Amino acid sequence: MKEPPKASWKPFTSNCCSVEDQTIFGNFSRCRTSRSEFSKNIAPLPSFRRLSFSDLSRSSSSRINEDLAQSFGPDLFDFQLSELRAITQNFSSNFLLGEGGFGTVHKGYIDDNLRSGLKAQAVAVKLLDIEGLQGHREWLAEVIFLGQLRHPNLVKLIGYCCEDEERLLVYEFMPRGSLENHLFKRLSVSLAWATRLKIAIGAAKGLAFLHGAENPVIYRDFKTSNILLDSDFTAKLSDFGLAKMGPEGSDTHVTTRVMGTYGYAAPEYVSTGHLTTKSDIYSFGVVLLELLTGRRATDKTRAKNEQNLVDWTRPYLTSSRRLRCIMDPRLAGQYSVKGAKEMALLALQCVSLNPKDRPKMPAIIETLESLQNLRDMAVSYGQWPAASPKLNKTALHHNNGKGRKENGNGIFFTKSALVVAQKTK
């Protein structure tokens, strides 16, 4: 994605955001420009006129469109529902990219025949399920955040649609889908170690950008399904419906509604509602563990002591010998021994129960980037295949009588591989 010109812009001021959960953004009036170095990757925007959740929730769609148009000008396209129906063949199932609690996402194609000035490109059209106020609130949060923020590691919002009761968003199309699909879909080709590291660095840079504002943006829902990949496996953060402006230092948000995804949410946020950028750091650590192990943050299909990834992996993260037992078997030993250990130690810091012990994003990026040129592959150092913590006689079983056996990770070994694995225990 082409980087926008350098500009000086202060995205938010302390008066622009209420910490009360019922008015997440408060008034967006009098947001003014500044000479912050943080703004070098953000496109310039005009000063906002009065724009708040409470106002827009009660406004007609025409008034909402008027307010958004005056706030964002030509930086975002205000699409008509008929136009989005046309480019997705009426939201045909043949164009369906995905579906979740937010609604459905369909692929489309835009060019200047649709609107003058539009770059010819594939797009993803998100059709939100807006049952109740929360759907509209998340749609508006997405427009406000991504309408302002521009960075190579954030998905670009191209436009929106607010027509009657319909709420839609139009993003750049990410051809390789989500990190979740690559890690956990059985039919997908396993991600190489270097690719996993590249994705981790890209996602870290996106999060660092959000945290680097004078009033940091707390992403609040960092997880593999929200990390999208372009054709070169560049990671871009998506779905800002739960994001919040946040104080820094010793101050925290206190929210009456804990939101996010179980398994990724920081324990102090779940138990107390206190929300800071360190909450995002915990979630980042969970994703690092998913990249290392190929396992989901939570998996109810596994043995009880293995269902929570953080709890299960914690005893294995400080030793290279023990770490190899939980590495993703799909890597087949094609990973850096030192790199995996350093990433594991970094993940352990990130998921520390004490938020103050978690590193900040610039330090995380520096650590991850230092691992890129390591070539000490485990398969070359006699450290693969490795024994799984579940690899024992009681955990093994035949698969359809074909002489293959399964370890605790659900990966099948041939008989000869089992012999080697058992000898390495």
Side-chain angles (χ1 to χ4, degrees):
M1 183 177 71
K2 183 179 180 182
E3 290 194 25
K6 291 186 177 181
S8 294
W9 174 60
K10 181 178 178 183
F12 301 100
T13 67
S14 57
N15 293 328
C16 291
C17 169
S18 167
V19 300
E20 295 297 324
D21 200 54
Q22 295 302 313
T23 50
I24 297 177
F25 290 95
N27 292 330
F28 273 72
S29 60
R30 301 184 179 88
C31 291
R32 302 189 184 280
T33 57
S34 74
R35 296 183 178 272
S36 170
E37 175 64 20
F38 160 74
S39 64
K40 62 184 179 180
N41 282 318
I42 311 179
L45 288 173
S47 296
F48 288 105
R49 61 177 301 217
R50 182 179 180 87
L51 184 64
S52 72
F53 269 114
S54 57
D55 287 345
L56 292 182
S57 296
R58 295 191 296 265
S59 298
S60 65
S61 58
S62 59
R63 172 62 188 275
I64 293 171
N65 287 328
E66 178 187 346
D67 283 343
L68 291 176
Q70 291 194 27
S71 295
F72 298 109
D75 294 289
L76 289 180
F77 285 89
D78 174 13
F79 290 103
Q80 296 176 8
L81 183 60
S82 60
E83 294 174 322
L84 300 185
R85 287 188 185 279
I87 66 172
T88 60
Q89 292 194 6
N90 199 23
F91 307 109
S92 166
S93 59
N94 294 329
F95 287 70
L96 184 67
L97 294 174
E99 186 172 4
F102 53 80
T104 57
V105 181
H106 298 261
K107 186 177 181 180
Y109 189 85
I110 60 174
D111 56 26
D112 59 5
N113 290 322
L114 183 69
R115 286 287 188 90
S116 177
L118 274 177
K119 172 187 173 184
Q121 61 181 305
V123 294
V125 181
K126 182 190 286 189
L127 176 61
L128 271 73
D129 177 3
I130 58 165
E131 290 296 327
L133 178 62
Q134 189 60 37
H136 174 77
R137 186 185 302 272
E138 292 185 12
W139 172 85
L140 186 57
E142 193 99 341
V143 174
I144 290 174
F145 274 119
L146 288 182
Q148 299 173 87
L149 302 176
R150 293 287 188 271
H151 188 272
N153 296 110
L154 302 184
V155 170
K156 182 180 179 182
L157 181 67
I158 297 171
Y160 59 88
C161 174
C162 176
E163 192 169 313
D164 297 326
E165 297 301 314
E166 302 293 344
R167 300 291 182 272
L168 298 94
L169 298 165
V170 181
Y171 308 89
E172 63 175 321
F173 174 67
M174 301 294 284
R176 295 198 180 272
S178 71
L179 174 58
E180 178 187 40
N181 287 341
H182 285 274
L183 282 180
F184 308 126
K185 297 297 183 184
R186 290 292 183 186
L187 298 180
S188 64
V189 177
S190 178
L191 291 171
W193 172 252
T195 305
R196 297 183 193 215
L197 191 53
K198 177 180 180 178
I199 292 169
I201 293 170
K205 288 181 177 179
L207 207 52
F209 172 75
L210 298 177
H211 290 182
E214 290 185 31
N215 289 296
V217 177
I218 304 173
Y219 188 53
R220 200 161 55 153
D221 203 19
F222 187 89
K223 57 184 178 180
T224 53
S225 61
N226 284 343
I227 300 172
L228 302 185
L229 307 171
D230 71 7
S231 57
D232 295 324
F233 288 98
T234 297
K236 301 190 181 189
L237 305 187
S238 68
D239 199 343
F240 283 69
L242 298 185
K244 290 177 74 77
M245 291 303 304
E248 216 14 85
S250 59
D251 296 326
T252 64
H253 268 310
V254 178
T255 176
T256 57
R257 292 180 300 143
V258 174
M259 305 186 71
T261 302
Y262 180 74
Y264 293 95
E268 75 279 0
Y269 174 49
V270 173
S271 61
T272 68
H274 285 207
L275 183 66
T276 69
T277 54
K278 291 301 180 77
S279 307
D280 285 342
I281 303 297
Y282 183 93
S283 304
F284 186 84
V286 177
V287 169
L288 287 184
L289 293 176
E290 291 181 303
L291 287 167
L292 286 167
T293 65
R295 290 196 179 198
R296 292 183 179 274
T298 57
D299 189 344
K300 297 298 184 182
T301 67
R302 297 191 180 274
K304 189 171 182 180
N305 67 324
E306 298 182 17
Q307 291 181 3
N308 182 284
L309 184 61
V310 173
D311 293 341
W312 176 65
T313 58
R314 200 182 293 274
Y316 297 92
L317 300 177
T318 56
S319 162
S320 294
R321 181 181 63 83
R322 291 179 64 80
L323 178 62
R324 68 181 183 175
C325 298
I326 63 172
M327 290 296 295
D328 188 349
R330 297 175 75 189
L331 285 167
Q334 297 290 344
Y335 65 89
S336 163
V337 175
K338 181 179 180 182
K341 182 180 179 181
E342 291 299 316
M343 185 185 287
L345 292 174
L346 179 61
L348 187 61
Q349 283 184 285
C350 290
V351 298
S352 171
L353 296 179
N354 185 352
K356 294 181 180 179
D357 292 337
R358 297 171 198 160
K360 292 187 176 182
M361 290 311 305
I364 290 173
I365 294 171
E366 183 179 357
T367 298
L368 292 174
E369 288 185 331
S370 71
L371 310 179
Q372 289 180 294
N373 296 320
L374 297 175
R375 295 293 181 265
D376 55 330
M377 295 292 108
V379 71
S380 304
Y381 280 72
Q383 295 200 26
W384 191 267
S388 163
K390 294 278 289 179
L391 190 59
N392 53 52
K393 291 183 179 179
T394 59
L396 299 173
H397 65 274
H398 287 285
N399 178 47
N400 298 327
K402 295 182 180 179
R404 297 191 300 168
K405 296 182 182 281
E406 182 186 14
N407 72 356
N409 279 335
I411 301 300
F412 292 96
F413 291 91
T414 63
K415 182 178 179 180
S416 60
L418 279 171
V419 173
V420 176
Q422 288 171 331
K423 287 181 178 180
T424 61
K425 294 182 72 174

